[in-house]
Amino acid sequence: MRRPVGKKGNRSIVWSSTLAAFSFWVSPAVAGPSFVNWENAHVHPLDVTPNESLLLAVNTPDNRLEVFDLSTGAVVPIASVSVGLDPVSVRARTNTEAWVVNHISDSVSVVDLTTMNVVVSIPTDDEPADVVFAGSPQRAFVSCSQANTVLVIDPADPTAAPVRILIEGEDPRAMAVNADGSEVYVAIFESGNRTTILGGGSVMGGGFPPNVVNDAAGPYAGVNPPPNDGPNFNPPQGDFDGDGSAGEPAPPQVGLIVRKDGNDQWMDDNGGDWTEFVSGAQADASGRLPGWDLVDHDVAIIDTASLSVTYATGLMNICMALAVNPGNDEVTVVGTEATNEIRFEPVLTGRFLRVHLGRVDPTGPTTTAVSDLNTHLTYTTAIPFVPIPQIDRDRSIGDPRGIVWNSPGTRGYVTGMGSNNVIVIDAAGNRAGVTPTIEVGEGPTGVVLDEGGERLYVLNKFASTISVIDTASETELLPRVSFHDPSLAAIKSGRKHAYDTHRNSGLGQIACVSCHVDTRMDRLAWDLGSPSGSMKSFNQNCAPLNNCQDWHPMKGPMTTQTFQDIIGKEPHHWRGDRNGLEEFDGAFAGLQGDDGPLPPVDMQEFEDFLATIHFPPNPFRNFDNSLPTNLPLPGHFSDGRFSGGGGLDSGDPLPNGDGVAGLLAYRTQGLDGVQCVTCHTLPTGLGADGTFLGPFQPIPPGPNGERHHAIVSVDGSTNVSMKIPHLRNQYEKVGFDTTQLGNTAGFGLLHDGSVDSIARFVSEPVFNVQNDQQVADLVAFMLAFSGSDLPLGSPNNPLEPPGPSSRDTHAAVGWQTTLVDAGSPLPGQLALIGDMIALADTGVVGMVVKGVQGGEVRGYAYIGGGQFQSDRASEVVAAAALQA
């Protein structure tokens, strides 16, 4: 399902081509933190020029391209070129030209490698990820991950409007090209694994989804929760409340995850066949259409002549990197595969994810094979889980982010960002190294092979270093080559607790980010309850009445939540059953299978790291961060609620939405005398951190500084006590819509992902929406929710209480243009720079200018009043003079 491209995707293209070119861009406000961490992932961060004389590396935290000379056999730094914000990929188009993809700036910076400056800034759709060059005549192909598009750009005329190819899949990122340039391959990062959710826990009359798990015609005759081990539960149900009595609190009725197998049957983890209720004649019992399906597209294959697209399927659910094996022309993909259809934490401990290599014959396309890159792991199903010795964990590879082949295709090299190593494989994916792994720096991502020089170059993202490996001996040559990293100390010290698979898991292949991928989401739901667990007494802030219930250990499926801006937004989890991050220390053993909980000092480092992560600019906001008033909504459809009254039928596209009108409805319409904003406060959507009777009184923080944002007892779920969730990443949760036959995601909204779309959610009968236009307006507002700048509540207004602040980013941050000559600018270019200056004058953003002047790299920061402070302490330059 295609997401709207957003305002950033509609900018006019700007460019430059002389030594005097200066790049202007909007930066985060100078009054904010000294470093803003979006924690964006590398895609193709390392490359060499065709003549192998220069090594190119993106410096993501410092917004630069680092250039190294290889001509002497050593890695010698020779230039550091300012590009856009958060560069994640680089490709050398020629020996003298490199293209750098800037994820936050939504741009590609074209760098002249002779003068070492940006000569062209090409705007893209939202969150570009990679670029390759292919076809005859040659064109550039740019993947845009958030927009689900690939842009086709003529390198000889980058100012021309690009051709836009729609990708049927969520988050296209890494790219590769076949030998003759006739095909481009795009790995779809959040490709899914053919799992989806069936409803079973709703208590909302007439609401969505239907409780099909409770259906007497189902595989378990309506028993909910169903058993997972024949007629029994594994582990067996225990004494939930610990009183030793026979009468135990009944588990809540919940949804159920099913997975489509190789025979196109939708099966649960106990062999129950739900096909008839998912895609068959009784699909309406689960709220679907007969023939409903998940497309499971893993690799998009683009014909560079016709620009037609076909897809390879059946590989893995997170496709992280890909390369073409020159020996057999197979497209090889590395990534991870989740087993989220399997229920209960004790069954999943330490073994809920595999690291895979997928091989695709693109001529079909057909999947040749999928193999586990950790063949030494057996994933035993014994309960309790027993960790393997550390020496064996250290053989594992985790979080693979790069792959490269030698020219015969007999040896491949794969980097493990989470395991801090490189493994050598043969053409079939078997380990083929002299030793099990080659240890490198922290967070290896990009990898480049120099066969003639018998050197492998690896970019270590977290350490900001380059490792050089002798491929003959398969040993690292020390010392590593470092470059400047302005990241905060909290990031450098705490990041390992999120990513390091050897340090924090019992088999060495998983970490927190195995599900919270890149500190975000895997777009899946997991049932991590336990039949042998214990009740937990409710101890939080309950709204609207003090009738929340204790938490049951059999909680049902819940979607993975993002780590972005969670510190200070306690309690945690969908149910709010964790007071603060400290209560997750046991998850390192209980879920990841490590030897024990993470020590308190490490948990503090982990928390300090998470506290740095911000939401990126919202792609649906206007340049000044205002809400859109006429937003096209491709991929969003009516649920048919108003069909009888002249509205759109179920499955019809929604009209354009007015986000300002949506905000008004959000603040004035709701249910039973309260508004949406009464519970979902602005600007985050979280519940208030205060009492709900009379004037709102803040609740004092807990002993570890944790907050007490409200938990609601009336959310329509039989998990009665549920935290009021934030709404800032709703635009990341599209792709599931049961009014459509083809879906790119199997989980949507609500705690278990069972409400398929934003339109469906705001159209639920409990809400007082009036027509499909108001639905469209609310959808537009939900898509543009993050970005703050929203009306704040008041402690004296019981219908609009105060909410917590938000770590998000102004929509203008990253906007970039490169000016050649103020006397002959492109249409609108000086006006854009004027808008940047005017916005910076308000103090909500900053502004930076970079370029080469008189042969020197220069930088300027806007200080207000039309003045720029240069990188010389005594030099202040007026805007007009700088542009000239």
Side-chain angles (χ1 to χ4, degrees):
M1 183 176 297
R2 185 170 79 93
R3 299 187 181 99
V5 169
K7 290 289 182 180
K8 286 190 177 183
N10 296 330
R11 290 177 288 179
S12 58
I13 291 176
V14 293
W15 63 284
S16 62
S17 59
T18 73
L19 297 186
F22 273 70
S23 295
F24 298 69
W25 69 78
V26 178
S27 67
V30 294
S34 59
F35 181 86
V36 176
N37 180 24
W38 293 291
E39 202 62 17
N40 286 317
H42 280 174
V43 181
H44 190 273
L46 196 66
D47 204 14
V48 292
T49 52
N51 62 7
E52 298 183 339
S53 64
L54 297 178
L55 181 69
L56 312 173
V58 300
N59 184 342
T60 304
D62 205 27
N63 308 310
R64 293 176 181 272
L65 174 68
E66 307 292 347
V67 184
F68 303 89
D69 179 29
L70 300 178
S71 61
T72 64
V75 180
V76 180
I78 58 172
S80 184
V81 183
S82 292
V83 287
L85 296 189
D86 263 30
V88 296
S89 290
V90 59
R91 303 274 184 171
R93 190 173 79 89
T94 67
N95 292 324
T96 59
E97 180 181 290
W99 289 42
V100 180
V101 179
N102 308 306
H103 199 67
I104 289 293
S105 282
D106 295 347
S107 68
V108 173
S109 296
V110 180
V111 177
D112 186 323
L113 296 175
T114 58
T115 59
M116 299 299 176
N117 72 308
V118 174
V119 295
V120 183
S121 291
I122 307 170
T124 67
D125 291 348
D126 192 46
E127 297 190 354
D130 201 0
V131 59
V132 293
F133 308 99
S136 182
Q138 186 189 75
R139 289 175 288 182
F141 293 76
V142 180
S143 61
C144 299
S145 59
Q146 185 55 50
N148 293 338
T149 59
V150 169
L151 303 184
V152 185
I153 298 168
D154 181 358
D157 187 12
T159 62
V163 176
R164 181 172 286 107
I165 302 173
L166 303 183
I167 301 298
E168 190 179 22
E170 297 299 316
D171 216 352
R173 294 193 190 180
M175 308 180 80
V177 181
N178 67 351
D180 63 6
S182 62
E183 289 184 335
V184 167
Y185 309 114
V186 190
I188 298 173
F189 193 76
E190 297 172 351
S191 66
N193 61 354
R194 303 184 183 186
T195 60
T196 189
I197 181 77
L198 301 178
S202 175
V203 296
M204 186 186 303
F208 188 92
N211 287 327
V212 66
V213 180
N214 308 347
D215 197 316
Y220 304 98
V223 172
N224 188 348
N228 70 322
D229 185 18
N232 305 310
F233 285 102
N234 180 31
Q237 288 180 293
D239 185 0
F240 295 135
D241 55 12
D243 65 357
S245 66
E248 295 299 324
Q253 294 186 326
V254 294
L256 182 67
I257 299 170
V258 294
R259 182 170 188 156
K260 188 168 74 168
D261 65 14
N263 297 317
D264 292 337
Q265 304 296 300
W266 293 95
M267 311 294 289
D268 64 33
D269 63 342
N270 196 25
D273 187 348
W274 295 87
T275 308
E276 187 72 4
F277 301 93
V278 178
S279 57
Q282 299 184 61
D284 62 325
S286 70
R288 292 167 167 81
L289 299 171
W292 183 91
D293 201 8
L294 281 174
V295 296
D296 188 34
H297 290 161
D298 294 300
V299 178
I301 302 170
I302 302 173
D303 184 298
T304 59
S306 66
L307 301 186
S308 60
V309 185
T310 54
Y311 296 93
T313 66
L315 302 181
M316 59 204 74
N317 72 289
I318 302 290
C319 299
M320 294 174 166
L322 81 168
V324 177
N325 184 327
N328 55 20
D329 297 326
E330 286 182 342
V331 181
T332 54
V333 184
V334 292
T336 58
E337 173 74 345
T339 59
N340 62 303
E341 76 279 10
I342 298 174
R343 285 178 288 161
F344 306 136
E345 182 172 302
V347 184
L348 289 164
T349 301
R351 54 214 162 192
F352 56 81
L353 180 132
R354 316 287 188 261
V355 178
H356 277 176
L357 171 79
R359 296 156 50 206
V360 174
D361 178 355
T363 59
T366 58
T367 298
T368 302
V370 177
S371 56
D372 194 326
L373 290 176
N374 289 314
T375 54
H376 62 290
L377 301 180
T378 59
Y379 312 106
T380 173
T381 59
I383 299 177
F385 171 83
V386 178
I388 63 177
Q390 187 65 51
I391 191 173
D392 293 322
R393 298 182 222 184
D394 292 343
R395 296 170 58 194
S396 299
I397 184 171
D399 209 346
R401 295 302 175 114
I403 179 172
V404 67
W405 293 95
N406 65 4
S407 55
T410 56
R411 287 291 181 271
Y413 302 87
V414 181
T415 58
M417 185 174 73
S419 48
N420 303 326
N421 59 18
V422 176
I423 63 169
V424 184
I425 59 174
D426 64 19
N430 302 307
R431 295 284 185 101
V434 174
T435 58
T437 67
I438 306 170
E439 303 304 303
V440 290
E442 188 180 7
T445 53
V447 57
V448 166
L449 177 63
D450 174 9
E451 277 189 277
E454 295 186 333
R455 293 291 183 266
L456 187 76
Y457 301 103
V458 177
L459 174 58
N460 304 308
K461 179 187 179 186
F462 302 155
S464 292
T465 60
I466 304 288
S467 288
V468 182
I469 296 171
D470 182 316
T471 56
S473 63
E474 295 181 7
T475 58
E476 183 183 13
L477 305 177
L478 297 174
R480 295 168 187 149
V481 181
S482 62
F483 47 87
H484 178 60
D485 181 355
S487 301
L488 302 174
I491 298 173
K492 297 177 182 179
S493 61
R495 200 179 236 153
K496 59 182 174 288
H497 304 302
Y499 289 90
D500 196 320
T501 63
H502 288 175
R503 174 189 295 265
N504 294 329
S505 68
L507 298 181
Q509 92 290 13
I510 58 176
C512 298
V513 297
S514 296
C515 296
H516 304 275
V517 184
D518 298 319
T519 70
R520 289 167 172 77
M521 307 173 293
D522 58 6
R523 296 298 308 277
L524 302 176
W526 298 78
D527 189 336
L528 299 179
S530 175
S532 62
S534 302
M535 298 290 294
K536 183 176 183 181
S537 298
F538 183 83
N539 63 349
Q540 293 295 332
N541 172 20
C542 185
L545 300 172
N546 193 24
N547 59 352
C548 292
Q549 297 179 2
D550 293 344
W551 292 291
H552 200 285
M554 295 179 69
K555 56 190 176 182
M558 297 195 179
T559 58
T560 305
Q561 295 182 297
T562 182
F563 281 164
Q564 295 160 301
D565 192 20
I566 66 167
I567 305 304
K569 305 300 190 292
E570 297 85 8
H572 294 313
H573 266 177
W574 278 104
R575 301 192 301 178
D577 54 4
R578 297 292 186 270
N579 289 337
L581 196 71
E582 295 78 14
E583 290 198 26
F584 287 94
D585 60 349
F588 287 85
L591 182 57
Q592 294 178 200
D594 203 5
D595 300 304
L598 201 65
V601 64
D602 292 342
M603 286 301 297
Q604 187 59 57
E605 287 183 342
F606 188 22
E607 181 169 349
D608 293 343
F609 161 64
L610 295 181
T612 69
I613 304 174
H614 289 61
F615 284 91
N618 185 288
F620 301 99
R621 294 279 188 119
N622 297 318
F623 174 78
D624 63 357
N625 213 44
S626 61
L627 297 172
T629 56
N630 189 30
L631 181 67
L633 298 173
H636 296 270
F637 304 93
S638 168
D639 75 338
R641 173 178 173 180
F642 303 105
S643 296
L648 300 171
D649 288 333
S650 175
D652 284 351
L654 287 175
N656 289 6
D658 182 342
V660 174
L663 171 61
L664 178 63
Y666 183 85
R667 300 177 67 199
T668 58
Q669 293 184 221
L671 71 161
D672 299 331
V674 298
Q675 329 302 349
C676 300
V677 73
T678 305
C679 292
H680 293 280
T681 64
L682 298 175
T684 66
L686 282 166
D689 183 13
T691 58
F692 270 66
L693 297 175
F696 282 80
Q697 298 294 326
I699 298 174
N704 294 303
E706 67 271 15
R707 308 304 308 185
H708 300 89
H709 295 93
I711 290 175
V712 68
S713 61
V714 289
D715 81 327
S717 164
T718 50
N719 268 284
V720 171
S721 304
M722 298 293 294
K723 180 182 175 181
I724 299 170
H726 78 94
L727 302 173
R728 292 167 291 175
N729 62 347
Q730 299 303 290
Y731 71 91
E732 296 267 21
K733 297 184 177 183
V734 303
F736 180 32
D737 196 313
T738 61
T739 71
Q740 307 298 304
L741 292 178
N743 288 242
T744 55
F747 305 89
L749 309 180
L750 212 63
H751 69 280
D752 58 2
S754 61
V755 176
D756 54 340
S757 67
I758 301 174
R760 175 89 66 183
F761 184 84
V762 301
S763 298
E764 291 277 27
V766 70
F767 298 122
N768 298 325
V769 291
Q770 304 299 310
N771 49 53
D772 283 312
Q773 183 59 61
Q774 193 169 81
V775 170
D777 294 342
L778 282 164
V779 170
F781 175 57
M782 288 292 107
L783 292 173
F785 200 97
S786 66
S788 297
D789 284 2
L790 296 171
L792 301 181
S794 166
N796 299 314
N797 183 354
L799 292 180
E800 195 162 351
S805 61
S806 178
R807 284 191 188 91
D808 53 33
T809 309
H810 192 287
V813 168
W815 276 63
Q816 181 180 23
T817 187
T818 299
L819 179 66
V820 178
D821 182 357
S824 57
L826 292 174
Q829 189 171 23
L830 294 185
L832 174 59
I833 295 174
D835 289 343
M836 291 178 175
I837 293 173
L839 194 60
D841 274 327
T842 69
V844 297
V845 297
M847 186 176 176
V848 173
V849 182
K850 297 286 186 178
V852 174
Q853 185 177 21
E856 287 187 281
V857 175
R858 299 298 307 274
Y860 301 81
Y862 188 67
I863 58 175
Q867 302 291 310
F868 286 83
Q869 172 66 59
S870 83
D871 47 18
R872 308 294 190 268
S874 61
E875 182 183 21
V876 175
V877 181
L882 180 59
Q883 292 179 43

